[in-house]
Amino acid sequence: MRDVAPETVPCPGCGSQDHFPWYDLSPWQLVTCAGCRVVYLRVRPRQDQLEHIYEEDYFSGHLGLSDSVDPVVIRTQALHHRFWLEHLLSFRREGRLLEVGCAYGFFLHLARHYGFEVAGVELSAKAVAFAREVLRLPVEPVAPGRYPWPDGSFDALLLSHVIEHLPRPREFLAEARRLLAPGGLLFI
């Protein structure tokens, strides 16, 4: 990863500066707020740098993807997400599903095969291209914020390893609520 000037932030839940270490992701610091117990990135990349970070093969290392497409890798990654899907299926058997921070789209690929109507959003242009071109998924290159769908567009919304990176999680949760249909499921 190229040089990134980090920022240090207070708890996004309550604004407290008091915290204790939770996990060291050097140079980033994942901490637990001493006041409200929210886990968040205290030292993190600035928001204006995130798109550049996600352009740099951010996902390639842990997904084992290269420029060649290997069907075995696609299947292996889809199986890795089976746990998430089984949990979701225990609450909802079908419907419209949005995944925020969907990376290459492997979870959406699996959910579509189980009958969900899927959509995703992702910062990484490379990941969006893969999801669209290889997996034929409707994934949009949208940063967290106000999404382009109307109120109540989704029956379920999934975000895994996302909320702790958001600068304003409360605003995001309000947007998630707007996107969810009555009785919708927010899966974090």
Side-chain angles (χ1 to χ4, degrees), residues 59-122:
F59 301 106
S60 295
H62 73 283
L63 289 179
L65 293 176
S66 65
D67 289 335
S68 64
V69 177
D70 183 349
V72 174
V73 172
I74 294 171
R75 184 170 179 199
T76 301
Q77 291 302 317
L79 291 175
H80 173 74
H81 296 300
R82 190 172 183 87
F83 168 80
W84 296 346
L85 182 64
E86 288 175 1
H87 192 67
L88 176 62
L89 288 170
S90 71
F91 293 97
R92 176 109 35 225
R93 303 299 292 174
E94 61 183 10
R96 300 157 297 163
L97 168 67
L98 174 66
E99 183 179 10
V100 176
C102 66
Y104 286 101
F106 295 119
F107 178 81
L108 292 174
H109 181 70
L110 183 62
R112 181 175 58 190
H113 285 288
Y114 276 78
F116 284 92
E117 182 182 330
V118 300
V121 293
E122 174 56 50

Side-chain angles (χ1 to χ4, degrees), residues 54 59 99 101-104 120-125 127-128 139-143:
Y54 288 108
F59 301 106
E99 183 179 10
C102 66
Y104 286 101
V121 293
E122 174 56 50
L123 277 175
S124 167
V128 169
V139 173
E140 299 299 323
V142 178

Side-chain angles (χ1 to χ4, degrees), residues 134-184:
V134 177
L135 300 179
R136 303 285 185 225
L137 294 167
V139 173
E140 299 299 323
V142 178
R146 183 140 175 106
Y147 296 112
W149 295 281
D151 295 2
S153 292
F154 297 98
D155 301 303
L157 195 144
L158 166 72
L159 55 150
S160 177
H161 301 286
V162 172
I163 200 160
E164 68 272 18
H165 298 276
L166 298 174
R168 291 173 297 283
R170 287 182 181 195
E171 290 177 22
F172 171 80
L173 291 173
E175 177 66 358
R177 183 176 184 189
R178 183 189 73 77
L179 290 171
L180 285 170

